[in-house]
Amino acid sequence: MEFSLRDAGVRVGLEIHQQLDTGRKLFCKCAPADPEEHPVRFQRVLRASRGETGRYDAAALFEESKARTVTYLAGPGSSCLVERDEEPPHDLDPDARQLILMISCMLHSRVFEEVYPMRKTVVDGSNTSGFQRTMLVAQGGHFEVGGRRIGIQSVCLEEDAAKILDGGYGLERLGVPLAEIATEPFAAERGFTREVAQGLGRILRSTKRVRRGLGTIRQDVNVSIRDGNGVIEVKGVQQLDMLEKIVEFEAARQTGMLDVSRRIKESGWVHDAGDRINITEILAGCGSKVVARALEKGHEIWAVSFGSMAGIFGYTPYEGVRLGREVAWLAKLFGIGGIFHSDELPGYGITEADVGRIRKRLKCGTGDAFIVSAVPGGMADALLDAIVGRIESVRDDGIPADTRLATQDGQTAFLRPKPGAARMYPETDIPPLYIAPEELGEARDMAPKSWDDSVRELQELGISAQLAEQVYDSRHADLFLDTVRDTNVSPAFIASALCYTITSLERDGLDSGRLSDEMASETFGLLDSGRISKESVEIIFREIMAGKSRTVQEAIDNASLQAMDSPELRRIIGSLVEDHMDLVRSQGERAIGPLMGMAMGKLRGKASGQTINDMLSKAIRDGLE
Amino acid sequence: MPDYKGYSGGSLRLLQDNGISVGDQVRIAADGEYSGIVMPRYEHSDGSHVTIKLENGYNVGLAVSRISSIRKTDMPSMTHAEEAPAEKRAGLPKVLLLSTGGTIASRVDYRTGAVTPVLTAEQLNASVPELASIAEIDARMLFSEYSENMTPANWLRIAEEIAGEADSEYAGVIVAHGTDTMHYTSSFLSFALAGFPRPIVMVGAQRSSDRASSDAALNIIGAARLAARCSQPGVYVAMHQDSNDGAIACHAGTRVRKNHTSRRDAFETIGGKPAFVVTGESIMRNMQGGYYQTEGFWPRIRLDERVALVKYHPGYDPAWVDRMTDGKYRGIIFEGTGLGHVGNTMYDAIGRAAESGIFLGMTSQCIRGRVRMTVYESGRDLLDLGITPLDDMIPEVALVKAMWAAGCTRDAESMRGVMLEKVASEASF
C-alpha cells in the first residue's frame, strides 16, 4: 500500500538538542572532551522512585523491570564527583545561561522571569543521579522557513546524558550543556520537515557557540496522524537525511496499527491466564538452532495462544509495519532474541509437526494465533505480561503511548512507555534563576547576524554561493575558516575537500568520525608546505576514514604519498617514455593521452597532475627530437 | 484556611485578591497564557513573582508586574495511589526501626521538593520492598531532626527508647539518622547502653531517597541484614563501603568518622577495617573479640553537657580556656597538634583549669594515630599540668565520652577513671 502524508493528516513537531560550546559542563568546570582512557569504573543500581501522585512513573518502572546494574566509566579531566553523583552540582555555567537567553531572543520566545531547575526522572542508566537536570527558560516564539512561520513551543537548558561505550556509560558527555528547542507541530510535507530542522540548526550555529561534529546535535521528532490518539515521540535521529524517512515510517506505522487494532477487536480476543504454557518439553528435540541454543543456556520455552487472531501478527499494511515486529522489539528490550509467531511458522527450523504439537498443547485451532519465546527462568511472567499488555494496548488504544527510538534503517522501534507527569520535580540543590530585564536586554543585543549574512561573509572569501551554504551547514565551518586563515591553500579547494570529498567518501560507507579536525588541518598544512600534492588529500582522508591509518603520517606512509623531488620524477617519466617509444613515434605529441594514464597510475599522490603532465610532454618532445 | 506558603508582598496580595491559594489550578495571562498549579515559594524568595507548575511538569516564576489576569480553573482530580500493605513473612526475625530524621527515612513531596519523614513500616516497606524478605520490621518515629539540629537531649531520648527493648523479641535495632552527626550519636549509645545484648545499627544516606540513585535503600538493606542476622552486640554505622552500589561497611560506632562531605563512602573506620561488611546475602566479620568491654548490660543514660572540644591552632587565645574555667565546665577535650601538643602560651590557662577541678583530655587533630606525650618536652610539660592523654580515641568520641563520664561522676578524678576505662572499643588502651 502506498502511504500519503497528506491523506493521513500527519503532523510533526521537532525537538532539537544542541550541545553548547562553552568549554565546560553545565554544573561543574570539567571539559567536555573524550578522555584517552577510563581508569575509574564503578557500578550502580538505579531504583524507580514514586512520583508526586504517589505513583511510579510508567517509563521508570519499565526500565526497572529490566533490572540491571549499570557500569560507569570515567576519565581524568572530563568528569568529577558531580558526574559520579558523589557531590552536589556546582554553580550554573554563566556562559550557557547567557547563550540560552540569546537563543530564546533569536526565536522571539517569551523568557520567564524565574527559571526553576527541575529533575526529570531517567532510569535507563544514562544519568548517574537517576534524573536529568533541566530548566524551562522560555515558551512561545517563532522562526521563518521558506516563507512559512514555524511556532516555537519551548526553549530549555539541560544536561546531556552519559554516552554508551563498550562496557558501560562514559561520563565525559554527562552534564554537557544542551539547548533543547521544541517546535509547535506543523503539517508534514516531503522536503519541508528537513528544511525546518535545517533552519533551526542554522539559527543555533549562527551563535558560533554551539558544538559541531558527530553527536553534538540530535533531533527527536513527534509524529501524530489525524485519526490517531496522540503524539508519539521518536528519539535519537542523528542524521538530517533520515528525518523524513523516519517521519513517513512512523506515520505509516501509526496508520497501520489502527488497522491492526480494528482487526484484533473484530477477532474478539481476550487473554486468559490459561493461555500461557511452558512448552519446553515439546520443543526439546526440535531442529531450531535458536531453540537449541536457548535450551543449552537452560532457558524455558513458553507459548501463548491468541484466540481467533490467525493472520494478525503477520499482517503487513505497510512495509515493515507488523504486530509481530512490535512484539519482537519489546522482547529484544528484555534481552530476548528468540520469539516466533504462528504466522511465520513453520520456519526457523520449527517444523509443521512441531507447530501441530504446539497447537494441540495450547488447544488452538487454525483460526487462532500463538507466539513462542525462549526465556531465562524466572523472567517468563515479566516478559509475557509485557507482550500481552502491549497487544491489549494496541487493541484498546489503537496506537500505544510509546517513546520510540529511530533505527539505523529509518524505522522506529519501541523504547519505553511514554513517561507520565510523575516524572518531573524540583531540583532542590540549585536555587531558581532570576532573569532581570537588563540581563535579557544584554543577551538580545549580543544575538548574532542572520544566516544570510554569515553565508555572504563566507562567499567573500572567494567561494561560490552554493559552496558557502554547504560549508556553513557542514560541521566544518570553523575548520574552513581556520585553514583559510592559516594557509595559502585556495579556499575553493579547502571547501570542496571538506564538503564534497568527505561526503562522497561517506557515501562509500566510510566513517568521517575517524577523521578529526586536527587530522584534516594537518593534511592541509602538509599541502600548503608542498610536502604532499592536492590529489593526496583525498587519499589521506580515505585511508583514515576507512580505519586503515590512525594518523596522517601513517596514511602517507601506507599510501606511499611522500611528494617526490623533481630529478626522481624526471627519471621515472623519462624511462616511461623510453619504454613506449613506439607509441611516441607513431602518435607524436598525442601520445600524452595514454602515457598520462600510465604515469598517473604510478605516481598518484606523489606529485600533482599538472607537474606530471608538464614533465611528460617535455619528455615526449625530447624523445621525438 | 487558605495556604500562601512562601508568598509575601505583591504576589500575596495578587493571590488573596483573586481568591487563589497554593495548590489551586489557575490560568494566567502574562504576555502569553499559562495554565498550571500554584506552587509554594521557597522561604528566601521575593514577593514579586508567582510560581506555577505548568502542565508539562516544569516550574516557572512569572513577575506579578507582567500578570494581567489570574483566575482559578477546575482542578483535575489528583488521585493518590494506595499504599501497598507491608508484606509480612512468617519466621523472619523481628527488627525495630527507630526513625530520628535525616535523609534516610524520608521521602520527597514531588510537587514541592520538600522532604517529609517516612512514618510507618508500611511506607518503609513500600519504598524498599526487599526489607520484607529480610526481617519483620516494626517502625517507630521518635522525632524528625536534621543531623545538625540533633542535641544531647535527643541522644538521651534514643538511648531510653532502646534500653526499654533489652528483653524484647527484637533481634536488633536500626536507628535511621542524619549523617552529619551520626558518629556522635553512635558514640553516646555505645557508652550509655554498654552491654546492650543485641546489635544496634545506625544508618544514613548521602543521596536523598527521591532519586533513583539514592544510597538509602542499599544502606538500609545492609543495616537490616546486620540487625536481623548478626548476633554480635555492639553499635554499628552501616553505610556504603565505596562508590559502588555493592558492599555495605558496618563500622564500629566509636571508631567511625564522616570523612567526606558528599561521597557515599564518606564514613570510615579510623585505624582499621569496618567491623562487618555486608555484601548481598553474606556478612563478613573483621572485628576481633567483642564490641563492649563491660560485664552485662548496665545502662547509664546520663550526661553533662558542660564539656568542650577545643581545636588548638597557632594563635589560639588562652582566654577562651579561662572562660570555660569560669563557666564551671566539667571537662575540656583538646584536639592538639601532632602527638598531642598545644603551644606554651596555653600553659597558664590550662594550669588554672586543672586546679579548679576540670578534667583535661588530649586527642590529636591528625585523626589517625595515637597521642604520645612523653616524646617531646612540651608533651611532658602538659602531662605535669594534669592533662590526660587519650591514646587513639577520636576527638569527637572523646568529647561524647567526657559528657557521659561527667554525667556519671561528681569530680575530675573519678571522671578521669571513667575516661581511661575502656567501655566500647573506643580506644586501644
Side-chain angles (χ1 to χ4, degrees):
Chain A
M1 224 189 300
E2 262 302 299
F3 180 75
S4 151
L5 288 169
R6 189 179 294 256
D7 293 350
V10 179
R11 292 180 72 75
V12 169
L14 293 177
E15 227 176 78
I16 306 263
H17 300 86
Q18 168 71 62
Q19 290 186 352
L20 303 180
D21 191 9
T22 61
R24 55 166 280 184
K25 306 266 183 102
L26 192 55
F27 290 110
C28 70
K29 288 187 177 159
C30 291
D34 288 348
E36 296 199 341
E37 47 178 4
H38 295 89
V40 177
R41 187 188 170 92
F42 58 95
Q43 291 190 325
R44 295 277 165 73
V45 181
L46 296 177
R47 306 168 65 93
S49 47
R50 288 187 160 206
E52 60 183 278
T53 56
R55 291 182 195 285
Y56 291 98
D57 182 67
L61 207 57
F62 175 77
E63 291 291 348
E64 198 190 31
S65 74
K66 293 195 288 171
R68 57 168 178 224
T69 304
V70 190
T71 302
Y72 295 99
L73 308 167
S78 62
S79 66
C80 63
L81 289 183
V82 174
E83 285 89 339
R84 291 188 217 165
D85 190 43
E86 287 282 33
E87 192 167 271
H90 304 176
D91 290 342
L92 179 80
D93 174 10
D95 288 344
R97 173 175 173 150
Q98 186 185 58
L99 206 44
I100 199 74
L101 293 178
M102 192 161 102
I103 291 168
S104 302
C105 291
M106 291 163 76
L107 294 168
H108 313 284
S109 197
R110 197 270 197 210
V111 174
F112 292 105
E113 290 85 38
E114 278 184 340
V115 171
Y116 283 79
M118 305 293 289
R119 297 172 173 177
K120 191 192 276 183
T121 307
V122 179
V123 288
D124 61 1
S126 63
N127 287 68
T128 45
S129 55
F131 54 74
Q132 176 191 31
R133 296 187 184 95
T134 172
M135 51 207 103
L136 176 63
V137 176
Q139 266 192 346
H142 56 86
F143 67 107
E144 305 279 332
V145 177
R148 266 168 76 176
R149 176 174 277 204
I150 301 297
I152 293 291
Q153 217 163 49
S154 59
V155 179
C156 293
L157 176 61
E158 55 191 34
E159 295 179 310
D160 207 343
K163 186 170 162 184
I164 299 181
L165 301 174
D166 267 356
Y169 278 102
L171 298 189
E172 53 267 30
R173 204 181 69 189
L174 181 61
V176 172
L178 272 188
E180 189 218 70
I181 296 159
T183 72
E184 293 283 356
F186 53 88
E189 277 172 44
R190 200 167 279 177
F192 186 64
T193 309
R194 189 196 152 101
E195 263 182 67
V196 173
Q198 209 163 27
L200 202 46
R202 282 172 177 168
I203 290 176
L204 292 169
R205 284 195 294 277
S206 71
T207 63
K208 301 213 164 125
R209 284 159 75 190
V210 298
R211 290 186 25 108
R212 309 290 292 262
L214 276 189
T216 59
I217 182 162
R218 298 192 294 279
Q219 285 108 19
D220 294 351
V221 53
N222 298 319
V223 181
S224 66
I225 58 171
R226 191 189 313 106
D227 299 331
N229 43 306
V231 175
I232 300 293
E233 185 182 351
V234 182
K235 299 191 90 68
V237 185
Q238 294 259 6
Q239 284 169 313
L240 217 47
D241 295 342
M242 286 308 239
L243 188 57
E244 308 218 295
K245 201 173 168 194
I246 285 162
V247 168
E248 272 185 49
F249 175 83
E250 176 54 24
R253 189 193 69 88
Q254 292 181 22
T255 312
M257 275 302 118
L258 289 182
D259 194 3
V260 171
S261 172
R262 191 175 44 75
R263 286 169 190 246
I264 301 176
K265 274 193 197 114
E266 281 169 10
S267 78
W269 164 74
V270 177
H271 181 68
D272 179 271
D275 296 345
R276 306 177 184 193
I277 289 172
N278 183 335
I279 59 159
T280 312
E281 278 176 32
I282 296 182
L283 285 188
C286 85
S288 163
K289 282 182 192 154
V290 180
V291 171
R293 269 199 303 272
L295 291 176
E296 266 172 39
K297 288 187 215 157
H299 294 184
E300 295 169 349
I301 314 291
W302 282 77
V304 186
S305 65
F306 293 85
S308 312
M309 269 181 59
I312 296 182
F313 282 96
Y315 171 60
T316 309
Y318 302 101
E319 195 192 333
V321 177
R322 233 178 359 259
L323 184 63
R325 188 175 174 275
E326 300 272 315
V327 169
W329 265 105
L330 183 61
K332 205 168 165 183
L333 285 176
F334 280 83
I336 289 163
I339 184 156
F340 311 113
H341 58 78
S342 46
D343 295 340
E344 56 187 355
L345 297 178
Y348 304 101
I350 295 177
T351 62
E352 187 80 57
D354 294 327
V355 172
R357 277 195 293 276
I358 297 169
R359 283 198 186 278
K360 193 171 167 205
R361 182 72 182 78
L362 289 170
K363 296 193 182 70
C364 59
T366 49
D368 304 325
F370 63 85
I371 59 162
V372 174
S373 181
V375 246
M379 243 179 92
D381 274 345
L383 174 73
L384 299 182
D385 282 350
I387 289 174
V388 169
R390 176 132 195 111
I391 296 168
E392 284 172 343
S393 170
V394 171
R395 178 192 65 196
D396 302 339
D397 310 328
I399 305 161
D402 296 345
T403 298
R404 300 182 70 82
L405 183 72
T407 61
Q408 292 288 329
D409 55 353
Q411 302 198 346
T412 72
F414 174 79
L415 180 65
R416 55 175 174 255
K418 191 174 185 171
R423 194 181 181 204
M424 192 102 72
Y425 63 102
E427 164 57 279
T428 43
D429 293 345
I430 310 159
L433 284 52
Y434 301 93
I435 312 293
E438 299 75 39
E439 185 183 1
L440 195 57
E442 265 172 41
R444 191 173 289 123
D445 293 343
M446 288 184 64
K449 309 189 253 291
S450 69
W451 180 75
D452 292 333
D453 291 344
S454 304
V455 168
R456 207 167 300 125
E457 257 184 24
L458 287 175
Q459 260 178 276
E460 281 163 11
L461 292 172
I463 57 176
S464 70
Q466 196 197 359
L467 204 47
E469 282 184 21
Q470 293 204 1
V471 168
Y472 191 82
D473 287 339
S474 78
R475 64 181 174 95
H476 306 295
D478 294 338
L479 178 60
F480 171 76
L481 288 171
D482 292 347
T483 313
V484 169
R485 190 191 59 217
D486 300 341
T487 70
N488 291 314
V489 181
S490 101
F493 178 79
I494 300 166
S496 100
L498 290 176
C499 296
Y500 300 142
T501 308
I502 292 178
T503 315
S504 106
L505 292 172
E506 275 175 343
R507 290 210 182 98
D508 292 347
L510 305 186
D511 178 6
S512 61
R514 294 194 178 112
L515 180 71
S516 70
D517 283 4
E518 290 72 27
M519 292 173 180
S521 183
E522 185 184 346
T523 309
F524 289 121
L526 291 170
L527 175 62
D528 191 33
S529 63
R531 291 187 46 215
I532 58 169
S533 66
K534 277 186 179 175
E535 285 75 9
S536 305
V537 172
E538 176 175 347
I539 299 169
I540 291 173
F541 285 3
R542 178 183 291 278
E543 277 284 316
I544 292 171
M545 284 172 64
K548 289 182 190 160
S549 304
R550 280 167 306 164
T551 63
V552 175
Q553 193 52 52
E554 204 177 309
I556 289 173
D557 294 345
N558 287 349
S560 329
L561 289 181
Q562 206 68 42
M564 270 183 196
D565 55 2
S566 304
E568 174 74 0
L569 274 180
R570 216 168 283 131
R571 193 188 59 73
I572 294 175
I573 290 174
S575 70
L576 183 77
V577 172
E578 250 168 59
D579 292 350
H580 296 86
M581 272 316 284
D582 292 352
L583 188 74
V584 174
R585 283 193 201 98
S586 66
Q587 301 213 2
E589 293 201 12
R590 276 176 303 151
I592 191 148
L595 285 179
M596 186 67 194
M598 293 180 222
M600 285 303 284
K602 286 191 174 182
L603 297 168
R604 181 179 297 279
K606 295 188 172 68
S608 76
Q610 191 58 50
T611 310
I612 295 171
N613 192 60
D614 291 350
M615 284 188 180
L616 192 57
S617 49
K618 186 169 182 299
I620 292 171
R621 276 197 308 274
D622 291 351
L624 285 172
E625 282 165 14
Chain B
M1 188 54 195
D3 176 10
Y4 301 113
K5 191 168 189 292
Y7 284 87
S8 61
S11 61
L12 177 63
R13 273 197 303 282
L14 180 78
L15 294 188
Q16 286 172 332
D17 292 350
N18 289 279
I20 288 163
S21 59
V22 167
D24 283 349
Q25 176 82 27
V26 293
R27 228 180 145 69
I28 298 180
D31 305 336
E33 285 272 310
Y34 303 95
S35 12
I37 299 166
V38 177
M39 303 299 290
R41 284 178 67 74
Y42 295 115
E43 268 175 45
H44 305 287
S45 336
D46 64 24
S48 46
H49 295 84
V50 172
T51 310
I52 59 169
K53 180 184 260 313
L54 299 173
E55 278 150 6
N56 59 15
Y58 281 98
N59 292 9
V60 294
L62 295 163
V64 173
S65 58
R66 293 179 74 176
I67 295 178
S68 53
S69 79
I70 175 167
R71 66 190 167 78
K72 205 159 147 175
T73 56
D74 283 338
M75 184 80 168
S77 61
M78 284 244 291
T79 53
H80 277 260
E82 289 288 308
E83 215 59 75
E87 193 187 333
K88 301 235 171 183
R89 290 193 202 166
L92 287 177
K94 290 194 74 171
V95 166
L96 174 64
L97 179 115
L98 300 178
S99 145
T100 70
T103 305
I104 176 81
S106 59
R107 57 182 193 178
V108 153
D109 177 339
Y110 285 84
R111 266 186 343 123
T112 61
V115 177
T116 49
V118 169
L119 299 174
T120 64
E122 273 69 26
Q123 288 173 342
L124 186 74
N125 279 349
S127 59
V128 188
E130 291 93 329
L131 289 179
S133 63
I134 298 170
E136 190 184 318
I137 293 181
D138 289 340
R140 282 180 216 160
M141 193 179 78
L142 294 185
F143 39 81
S144 180
E145 289 290 356
Y146 285 136
S147 195
E148 62 273 26
N149 294 336
M150 205 64 81
T151 63
N154 294 123
W155 302 345
L156 294 170
R157 174 82 182 82
I158 300 169
E160 275 154 11
E161 188 77 22
I162 297 174
E165 303 295 342
D167 303 319
S168 71
E169 53 184 341
Y170 294 117
V173 180
I174 302 174
V175 181
H177 197 289
T179 54
D180 280 5
T181 65
M182 185 152 64
H183 61 305
Y184 292 85
T185 307
S186 66
S187 296
F188 184 74
L189 297 180
S190 300
F191 302 123
L193 300 177
F196 185 80
R198 313 191 208 297
I200 298 168
V201 189
M202 305 203 56
V203 65
Q206 289 281 77
R207 292 284 93 74
S208 56
S209 38
D210 59 282
R211 43 173 104 197
S213 64
S214 172
D215 54 335
L218 197 60
N219 287 347
I220 206 163
I221 290 168
R225 288 224 161 90
L226 192 74
R229 291 191 10 224
C230 154
S231 51
Q232 182 64 51
V235 180
Y236 309 100
V237 169
M239 295 289 287
H240 269 51
Q241 173 158 269
D242 50 43
S243 199
N244 295 287
D245 279 334
I248 298 303
C250 301
H251 307 274
T254 52
R255 293 303 309 161
V256 65
R257 201 167 181 282
K258 186 177 187 180
N259 281 345
H260 196 278
T261 55
S262 58
R263 287 179 60 120
R264 288 166 173 73
D265 56 0
F267 283 80
E268 289 173 338
T269 294
I270 303 300
K273 289 181 178 171
F276 297 91
V277 177
V278 181
T279 313
E281 301 271 321
S282 93
I283 300 178
M284 189 181 76
R285 177 179 175 143
N286 293 319
M287 190 170 74
Q288 309 284 321
Y291 182 77
Y292 301 113
Q293 285 72 48
T294 50
E295 293 283 321
F297 175 46
W298 184 31
R300 285 183 287 175
I301 307 175
R302 288 192 286 271
L303 60 78
D304 188 331
E305 288 181 39
R306 290 175 298 161
V307 178
L309 178 59
V310 169
K311 182 173 191 135
Y312 174 76
H313 55 81
Y316 188 89
D317 182 356
W320 288 111
V321 173
D322 285 331
R323 254 163 252 172
M324 290 168 203
T325 308
D326 298 343
K328 304 270 181 275
Y329 267 59
R330 295 286 313 279
I332 299 175
I333 301 297
F334 287 98
E335 206 180 300
T337 59
L339 287 167
H341 306 135
V342 297
N344 51 19
T345 52
M346 300 285 286
Y347 287 5
D348 290 347
I350 287 174
R352 284 190 290 275
E355 272 169 33
S356 57
I358 298 180
F359 168 77
L360 303 169
M362 180 61 74
T363 64
S364 174
Q365 52 193 249
C366 297
I367 305 302
R368 289 175 208 281
R370 64 192 65 235
V371 296
R372 283 308 298 167
M373 300 180 64
T374 53
V375 177
Y376 293 100
E377 197 180 321
S378 52
R380 293 192 289 269
D381 290 343
L382 291 169
L383 287 174
D384 288 346
L385 287 169
I387 288 198
T388 305
L390 294 174
D391 206 82
D392 60 351
M393 214 184 292
I394 300 168
E396 296 88 347
V397 176
L399 169 79
V400 174
K401 189 176 183 189
M403 285 187 185
W404 170 72
C408 298
T409 59
R410 288 178 182 282
D411 57 64
E413 198 41 45
S414 35
M415 194 170 151
R416 180 182 145 87
V418 175
M419 286 304 286
L420 293 177
E421 172 202 5
K422 191 167 167 181
V423 178
S425 305
E426 69 273 23
S428 35
F429 49 66

